[in-house]
Amino acid sequence: MLPAETTALLHDVREGDARASDVLFAHVYDELRRLSERYIQGHRGAVTLSTTGLVHEAYLKMVGGGEWADRAHFLAVAARAMRQVLTDRARARRTDKRGGALRAVTLHDDLVAGHDAPLDQLLAVHDALERLASRDARLARLVELRFFGGMEVDEAAEVLGTSPRTTARDWARAKAYLRSFLA
Amino acid sequence: MTGDPDWGALDAAFDRALALDGPDRDAFLASLDAGLRARLGPLLAAALADDPLFDHPEDLIGAVLDAAGPPDDLGDLGHVGDGTRVGPYRIEALVGEGGMGRVYRARRADGAFDQTVAVKVVRTTLALAGADVVARLRRERALLATLDHPGIARLVDGGETDDGVPYLVTEFVDGAPLTDYADAHGLGVEARVRLLVDVARAVEHAHRRLVVHRDLKPSNVLVAERDGAARPVVLDFGIAKLLDAAGDTSGALTRTGVRLLTPAYAAPELYDPSAAVTTAADVYGLGALLYELLTGRRPHDDAPPAGPPTTEPTRPSKAVTARADGASAAPDLAARARALEGDLDTICLKALHPDLSRRYASAAALADDLVHYLDGRPVEARRDSLAYVAGRFVRRHRAPVAAGAVALVALIVGLGASLVSLRSERAARAEAEAASQRATEAAALLAGVFQNATPSGGGRLLTVREALDIGVGQFRAVRSDDLRAYLLGVSGVTYAYLSEPGRADSLLAESLALYGEGASDSTVSKLRLMYAATRDAFADHEAALALARRVYADQAPSDYTSPLAGRALVVRSRAHLKLGQPEEAIRHATEAVDLARRQGYHARLAPALLQLGMALSALGRHDDAVRAQQEAVRRSAEMHGPTSFAVAEARSALAQTFVDAGRYRDAERTLRVVQADQARDIGPSITLSYTLALIGSATLSQGRFREAATVLDSAVAMGRPTLPPGHADLARWLSDLAAAHNGTGTFRQAEAAAREALRRAEAGADADGVGRAGAQLARALDGLGRRDEARAVRQRVASTPGG
């Protein structure tokens, strides 16, 4: 998808076009998937990559420059897409591992097994976030931006249109609630 | 909390409290009602703390992305490729990857040492943790370097690459993962248990040096073959802890609950990031390995809990039959389930207990209990049940009777064992496939043997002996030399168990010829020792000696030696004794005793002591001999129970020494106990015939001729069908029988017995026997008034070379 098309979609989304929102999300999702896959293939060296990196790379690729409002909106969509990418992978990987007949133990089975804990952990965060959203949608969006979008408090504040001070307090509350859900 | 009426109030108070600080916050909190304040306390603490998971999500997300990695990139070396250098090591190939990073086979590139090593390059997310981590890794490495055990892959070196990525260098173990190895070799339950005992001993070594493994799983325990013996080697000792150390500083791993662990093998307490990791976690890991070795399934595999397991897993005996696919299953799951039922179930569950205080106290305690199981002694895990202890004795007493059947089962189940030599993992897999195919062929062959041998329309059960006779004919037609050698060897051993040294001897010779002079692994060594025993039975003591020497050389003792070295020494001692070299015999038996004491092989100690006693007795050192053999009786009773076969064997040897020492009453008293046990437990048999013959000898020496004649007559009747015609012992019993008849004046019977003794002694080229038999024959002929014949016999015997 060309930057111009993404920008057009973003405009439509801001106009309240629900279909455009779905289309944009699908495109961002695909792009993040591709990027994360490339990351997985190539990360053996010194390359490390955070969700921040992935999201920004997707932004540069899909939007390029553009208005601030576009960027903030794009990053919000990207954080949600990133969350989807990660939970989809975690679920797929776990099903892979748990489903089906017993297989011979190979290095790779153990590799998978060795990562079960992170997979479970991620899915637990996802569920806790759903619970939080049912109570306070704004806190949940903030967590999405910070946790899955890799944003700093100040960046998230700009996206959400709240003051950094309030956002920091919201963040403190959000993680305390999530902790209590996870306990 | 959704629909929680107090949520609104709580949330508002929470937000307000966060907006205030210091004394203002305290004052605000004090103004709240107690219930609200109590709920707010933990929330506030969590809000103000730096949360390792939510404030630093990179590591979790990195781990999730890693876990999602494509599974088919083993050959892809990524950034570290062939010929790349990591420190002074040149990378040769990627051999694996896991939670901590990737593992490469490498060689020192600077020529300082020519050694193949494994280089482990730490995951990049962990590598980013910073300089502090590098320092901690270095400290931990020093601790790991103190581990020195043949069952633990040695830490060779470690450092950081130019990019600052930490790496560790360990001994390269060329082997297959524990469970793969056991399956590829078709190992039986006991062989699998024995492997785990070795692993537990290695883990115990590390525990005594305060190093916990924490991530025991099949891919971390490779089985290499050294000198033909399976040698499990534990990899990555302390690595999990190193990673935790790295995680502590980056704030990512330990405290988030994303402690790197492998759920199927991880002890429940590992899930609690605040809980200290103790050796109990490794006891659990060993239990999980044992469970998978025995059942082919991981604990809780049937119903994986979302978090830490809180219950005991399904009993292994149940799990083994419940597996979903029968395809890769052992040939007889029901038999496997029966083997696990009882002790192994209990041992597994005790090691895997979710409550760590109810597990075995140490890896050593687990290993000891498994050894108890192998020795057929009561296991610690069930020491309390009287009925159980009684049950053990029944099982033990049944065992020798079923030995033939056991050997046949071993033939099917343990088939692959001698066929595979592991060169590399890849070669091992290819070999394993070939071996499993051969195993299938052999199993089909055996199934055919049993089917074909069933008399048409007859519901009669085939005896092991009959099946074996038919089977051997078919085994000879097997094309593969490997397989034919193995099948004939096992058949030979089975005949030996069935007390048919003649059949055993020729089959063992045939099998060993197929294996060739060069073969030296433990399977061949066992066959050689058995062949030495049958050669001994044919009075070919030189051959027995040569075989035992060979086995001893192949199984040279070290701290890690197999029990075969000790057995070889006992066989050597026996052969020397038979060759009339008692000093040599004493020397080897003494070495066998020392070796068994040093290695703690209590099961080998009693036979060594018995042999030492016989050798000492031959030199006339009867008191020393009695002392050694009384210890053997004591040890056997401790180990196998007071009425076991081992005790009977020891008592028989002791009785022989009493006879040699002229203490006939002691001999007889000792033997009557043995006779009663054997008559009850095994009935008429070659074993009982030896006991009776000794009683006969003892009563004969006390001049109780009538009793002696009765007992010796039974001994001969029992021994005659199974012992080879030229067997020296049978000739001796017949001579004794003749002597007893001469004593009571029943000269006709004496003549018959003496003539048979003479014939047999001559057939066995047994000069002593010829002399003894001739003397009794001459006495009998004198008694019958046939003095000319008696004189002729005396002359003939006197002219026998060496007689």
Side-chain angles (χ1 to χ4, degrees):
Chain A
M1 172 168 279
L2 296 171
E5 293 172 66
T6 315
T7 313
L9 267 178
L10 279 167
H11 278 288
D12 292 347
V13 171
R14 266 193 288 156
E15 299 298 319
D17 184 340
R19 202 194 60 86
S21 178
D22 288 348
V23 172
L24 177 66
F25 180 83
H27 280 290
V28 177
Y29 177 89
D30 286 347
E31 185 59 37
L32 283 172
R33 249 193 102 127
R34 260 196 302 279
L35 287 173
S36 60
E37 244 142 32
R38 210 185 61 202
Y39 158 75
I40 291 153
Q41 307 287 337
H43 95 295
R44 335 232 186 269
V47 189
T48 49
L49 184 136
S50 60
T51 48
T52 325
L54 279 174
V55 165
H56 282 273
E57 206 175 334
Y59 173 73
L60 288 175
K61 213 168 157 203
M62 295 181 73
V63 185
E67 300 167 47
W68 162 244
D70 282 350
R71 186 182 122 89
H73 206 104
F74 179 89
L75 294 181
V77 171
R80 193 153 51 85
M82 193 68 227
R83 175 181 176 186
Q84 188 78 45
V85 166
L86 289 167
T87 50
D88 284 356
R89 277 184 181 283
R91 283 203 194 95
R93 217 57 191 127
R94 265 195 354 166
T95 314
D96 231 5
K97 150 94 184 72
R98 300 240 160 108
L102 183 87
R103 285 168 299 156
V105 182
T106 68
L107 272 170
H108 276 301
D109 280 352
D110 280 326
L111 172 65
V112 172
H115 286 263
D116 251 23
L119 300 178
D120 289 343
Q121 183 85 12
L122 185 98
L123 293 173
V125 170
H126 173 75
D127 291 344
L129 198 47
E130 289 295 299
R131 274 180 77 180
L132 184 62
S134 73
R135 194 157 303 163
D136 188 329
R138 190 167 58 116
L139 292 190
R141 271 191 81 200
L142 171 60
V143 174
E144 208 166 72
L145 292 172
R146 295 262 294 130
F147 194 88
F148 292 103
M151 287 182 200
E152 293 304 319
V153 169
D154 288 2
E155 288 178 283
E158 289 191 55
V159 171
L160 293 170
T162 50
S163 80
R165 207 179 131 79
T166 306
T167 310
R169 228 168 43 233
D170 284 350
W171 172 246
R173 254 187 320 142
K175 70 182 187 187
Y177 287 135
L178 290 174
R179 262 288 153 226
S180 74
F181 295 156
L182 287 180
Chain B
M1 283 202 282
T2 316
D4 178 351
D6 295 328
W7 159 259
L10 178 69
D11 190 52
F14 191 9
D15 195 39
R16 175 112 180 91
L18 283 170
L20 301 167
D21 40 58
D24 292 342
R25 183 187 290 151
D26 293 346
F28 170 69
L29 289 176
S31 74
L32 299 173
D33 82 68
L36 193 56
R37 194 165 56 235
R39 289 181 67 186
L40 206 49
L43 284 173
L44 208 50
L48 297 171
D50 181 68
D51 189 302
L53 173 62
F54 293 111
D55 288 310
H56 308 275
E58 312 79 38
D59 290 86
L60 172 62
I61 286 166
V64 170
L65 287 173
D66 277 358
D72 55 351
D73 64 345
L74 243 195
D76 172 14
L77 299 188
H79 281 68
V80 185
D82 267 358
T84 308
R85 282 177 65 149
V86 171
Y89 300 92
R90 180 178 291 114
I91 299 299
E92 293 185 340
L94 175 70
V95 292
E97 77 172 280
M100 64 134 344
R102 306 192 134 211
V103 185
Y104 302 92
R105 193 184 67 226
R107 230 160 222 295
R108 256 190 103 98
D110 59 6
F113 307 95
D114 188 27
Q115 184 187 13
T116 300
V117 294
V119 172
K120 289 144 208 261
V121 180
V122 174
R123 246 180 34 188
T124 38
T125 43
L126 296 167
L128 289 181
D132 190 26
V133 173
V134 171
R136 297 183 69 153
L137 283 170
R138 206 172 288 140
R139 278 199 299 278
E140 291 291 341
R141 279 207 306 268
L143 189 61
L144 294 185
T146 65
L147 299 184
D148 180 20
H149 188 275
I152 297 175
R154 225 160 9 88
L155 185 74
V156 175
D157 195 2
E160 296 86 41
T161 64
D162 298 342
D163 306 336
V165 180
Y167 66 87
L168 294 167
V169 183
T170 65
E171 170 192 355
F172 182 78
V173 180
D174 190 7
L178 186 63
T179 45
D180 288 2
Y181 179 91
D183 292 343
H185 288 62
L187 296 187
V189 169
E190 291 206 354
R192 286 165 191 256
V193 169
R194 226 167 264 130
L195 277 180
L196 198 94
V197 169
D198 288 347
V199 177
R201 299 272 187 232
V203 169
E204 172 67 13
H205 170 91
H207 286 179
R208 269 188 268 114
R209 279 153 192 78
L210 305 176
V211 180
V212 177
H213 191 290
R214 230 207 56 184
D215 193 24
L216 288 168
K217 56 187 174 187
S219 60
N220 272 341
V221 183
L222 297 187
V223 183
E225 286 194 340
R226 205 174 59 176
D227 307 329
R231 184 179 72 115
V233 182
V234 184
L235 310 183
D236 289 353
F237 241 104
I239 298 293
K241 171 130 183 286
L242 285 185
L243 295 184
D244 268 2
D248 265 355
T249 342
S250 71
L253 287 168
T254 11
R255 283 172 293 135
T256 58
V258 194
R259 182 179 255 164
L260 288 174
L261 48 78
T262 313
Y265 308 97
E269 67 268 19
L270 288 176
Y271 287 79
D272 176 0
S274 63
V277 175
T278 67
T279 54
D282 282 351
V283 172
Y284 185 97
L286 288 167
L289 283 176
L290 178 63
Y291 191 97
E292 186 167 350
L293 269 176
L294 296 177
T295 66
R297 306 178 65 132
R298 298 166 185 183
H300 301 288
D301 209 20
D302 39 356
T310 53
T311 58
E312 294 184 343
T314 308
R315 308 183 74 77
S317 58
K318 275 217 175 67
V320 76
T321 46
R323 51 193 294 169
D325 60 332
S328 61
D332 190 347
L333 288 181
R336 171 69 68 94
R338 273 197 302 282
L340 301 184
E341 221 165 52
D343 288 343
L344 288 175
D345 271 350
T346 313
I347 292 174
C348 272
L349 295 187
K350 181 164 168 140
L352 287 168
H353 205 285
D355 176 358
L356 60 92
S357 66
R358 294 184 57 189
R359 280 177 219 150
Y360 285 100
S362 65
L366 170 60
D368 289 347
D369 227 7
L370 288 170
V371 170
H372 290 165
Y373 165 80
L374 290 172
D375 289 343
R377 279 179 296 159
V379 303
E380 162 119 11
R382 325 176 46 153
R383 184 158 283 167
D384 42 351
S385 156
L386 255 181
Y388 157 73
V389 174
R392 290 299 290 180
F393 290 138
V394 172
R395 202 197 92 173
R396 273 203 308 275
H397 287 155
R398 241 183 358 229
V401 182
V406 169
L408 266 190
V409 173
L411 200 71
I412 306 169
V413 178
L415 193 70
S418 64
L419 306 181
V420 180
S421 64
L422 289 171
R423 257 163 240 99
S424 69
E425 202 189 326
R426 203 165 295 129
R429 279 178 203 284
E431 283 279 314
E433 270 171 38
S436 102
Q437 192 163 349
R438 276 174 290 196
T440 314
E441 280 170 27
L445 191 68
L446 279 172
V449 167
F450 288 117
Q451 270 161 20
N452 296 339
T454 307
S456 50
R460 190 177 67 95
L461 279 174
L462 200 62
T463 66
V464 169
R465 175 59 222 274
E466 288 166 318
L468 205 55
D469 288 347
I470 298 159
V472 167
Q474 302 197 4
F475 296 160
R476 288 222 169 80
V478 170
R479 255 196 315 276
S480 152
D481 283 351
D482 279 358
L483 185 54
R484 196 162 70 250
Y486 183 78
L487 290 168
L488 293 176
V490 180
S491 306
V493 172
T494 311
Y495 277 114
Y497 282 143
L498 294 173
S499 301
E500 294 218 35
R503 297 279 281 162
D505 189 69
S506 62
L507 285 167
L508 288 165
E510 203 176 336
S511 166
L512 285 167
L514 283 170
Y515 273 114
E517 249 328 282
S520 63
D521 64 27
S522 61
T523 305
V524 176
S525 291
K526 274 182 211 145
L527 292 178
R528 286 203 177 102
L529 284 182
M530 188 55 91
Y531 187 47
T534 60
R535 285 283 84 205
D536 233 10
F538 288 101
D540 185 1
H541 308 304
E542 293 288 355
L545 193 58
L547 287 160
R549 271 203 196 106
R550 169 69 198 270
V551 171
Y552 183 76
D554 287 341
Q555 305 282 331
S558 69
D559 284 346
Y560 211 66
T561 188
S562 76
L564 289 177
R567 276 172 60 186
L569 283 170
V570 171
V571 174
R572 274 172 88 167
S573 171
R574 192 180 303 140
H576 277 302
L577 193 55
K578 295 262 175 80
L579 287 167
Q581 300 155 347
E583 286 91 353
E584 283 292 285
I586 290 173
R587 197 163 63 76
H588 287 115
T590 306
E591 195 185 339
V593 169
D594 291 347
L595 191 64
R597 287 200 209 277
R598 204 163 61 235
Q599 295 174 333
Y601 279 140
H602 296 304
R604 301 310 316 163
L605 184 54
L609 284 166
L610 288 181
Q611 178 57 32
L612 178 60
M614 288 180 218
L616 288 167
S617 184
L619 262 191
R621 293 168 56 187
H622 299 303
D623 290 347
D624 291 338
V626 166
R627 216 168 296 122
Q629 294 180 330
Q630 279 173 337
E631 185 186 346
V633 171
R634 216 163 47 238
R635 293 270 179 191
S636 299
E638 282 165 14
M639 185 153 243
H640 304 288
T643 60
S644 62
F645 282 95
V647 169
E649 195 193 342
R651 282 214 180 95
S652 302
L654 175 61
Q656 179 65 60
T657 304
F658 280 138
V659 170
D660 293 347
R663 295 164 61 180
Y664 302 113
R665 278 201 179 282
D666 288 329
E668 198 189 335
R669 204 174 299 127
T670 308
L671 288 165
R672 290 290 179 190
V673 178
V674 177
Q675 185 204 353
D677 284 347
Q678 287 176 342
R680 183 187 62 240
D681 293 333
I682 52 175
S685 60
I686 187 72
T687 314
L688 184 54
S689 71
Y690 268 92
T691 307
L692 292 173
L694 265 175
I695 292 174
S697 170
T699 39
L700 182 66
S701 303
Q702 295 172 68
R704 287 151 52 204
F705 299 115
R706 199 176 303 276
E707 279 175 69
T710 312
V711 177
L712 285 164
D713 200 47
S714 305
V716 168
M718 267 179 229
R720 203 187 268 127
T722 41
L723 289 172
H727 200 281
D729 291 332
L730 190 53
R732 172 192 273 272
W733 304 347
L734 283 159
S735 290
D736 283 352
L737 178 58
H741 282 306
N742 278 329
T744 57
T746 46
F747 297 115
R748 255 176 227 298
Q749 284 97 322
E751 185 194 355
R755 283 196 189 281
E756 190 184 340
L758 189 59
R759 204 168 60 239
R760 288 180 186 272
E762 279 170 350
D766 169 9
D768 283 352
V770 168
R772 248 190 324 265
Q776 294 306 328
L777 179 57
R779 267 188 66 194
L781 292 171
D782 277 339
L784 290 166
R786 290 145 62 188
R787 299 190 187 277
D788 292 348
E789 285 176 68
R791 204 172 305 119
V793 168
R794 287 199 175 94
Q795 279 167 4
R796 200 178 100 209
V797 169
S799 68
T800 303

